[in-house]
Amino acid sequence: MTERTLAIIKPDAVERHLAGTIIQRIEGEGFQIRAMRRLHLSKTQAEGFYAVHRERPFFASLTEFMSSGPVIVLVLEAPDAIKKWRTLMGATDPAKADAGTMRKEFAQSIERNATHGSDAPDTAAYEMGYFFAGVELV
C-alpha cells in the first residue's frame, strides 16, 4: 500500500552538510519526495510539534535542539513508507542502530540523531499537516 510519511533532517545533519547525502539516499531507496521545505523552527514551533512528549524528561532538551538551527522537512511517499523510512533511519540510539542505517552512519548521539520519522499513520497525518498544507503535497 502506497502511503506518505514525514521525515525531518535535523539541525545536526544540516549543520554538518549531510542533507544532500540523506536526500540522495532517500531517493535511492525508492521514495518519492512529495514536499520539501527548509526552515528554522522557533522554540514554540518545536514545542508544538513535539507536544506529545511534553511530560517526558527529554522534552526541554529536544525542543531546544530542534530549534537550534535549520531543518529540512519532507513528505515521503512509497509503498509502506512509514515502516520503510523508520527501517532506513535505524534505532533512535545510534549505538543500537543497524549497520547501513542513517542513524548508524550520521547520528552523533541519541538526541543528535540526524533524522526524524513518523511512527504511525495517524502521527504521519498530524505531522505532515503541521508543516504542509494539503495543496503543497504533489
Side-chain angles (χ1 to χ4, degrees), residues 89-127:
M89 283 192 307
T92 304
D93 182 348
K96 297 177 182 174
D98 291 337
T101 62
M102 297 281 194
R103 290 176 172 157
K104 188 65 161 187
E105 293 182 23
F106 304 128
Q108 298 172 307
S109 69
I110 195 166
E111 186 171 89
R112 298 176 64 83
N113 62 9
T115 57
H116 165 88
S118 305
D119 62 0
D122 58 334
T123 309
Y126 168 78
E127 291 182 347

Side-chain angles (χ1 to χ4, degrees), residues 14-15 18 20 22 25-26 43 61 64 76-77 80 96-97 101 104 106-107 111 113 117 120 122 125-126 128 130 132:
V14 173
E15 177 185 9
L18 296 171
I22 292 171
R25 287 274 304 276
I26 287 168
K43 179 84 163 156
S61 64
E64 187 70 34
L76 307 180
E77 184 179 86
D80 207 15
K96 297 177 182 174
T101 62
K104 188 65 161 187
F106 304 128
E111 186 171 89
N113 62 9
D122 58 334
Y126 168 78
M128 288 184 290
Y130 195 85
F132 298 101

Side-chain angles (χ1 to χ4, degrees), residues 32-90:
Q32 297 292 316
I33 297 173
R34 296 299 182 196
M36 181 168 53
R37 171 179 292 144
R38 178 184 167 114
L39 54 109
H40 191 144
L41 296 174
S42 69
K43 179 84 163 156
T44 301
Q45 288 171 317
E47 289 171 346
F49 182 73
Y50 286 106
V52 68
H53 298 302
R54 188 170 301 280
E55 302 306 318
R56 304 269 179 114
F58 58 81
F59 179 75
S61 64
L62 173 62
T63 56
E64 187 70 34
F65 164 62
M66 289 300 292
S67 61
S68 69
V71 298
I72 298 173
V73 292
L74 308 98
V75 173
L76 307 180
E77 184 179 86
D80 207 15
I82 295 168
K83 181 180 179 187
K84 184 176 179 176
W85 175 235
R86 292 187 68 78
T87 299
L88 182 59
M89 283 192 307

Side-chain angles (χ1 to χ4, degrees), residues 16-30:
R16 294 182 301 138
H17 306 284
L18 296 171
T21 301
I22 292 171
I23 291 168
Q24 188 173 27
R25 287 274 304 276
I26 287 168
E27 291 184 321
E29 292 291 328

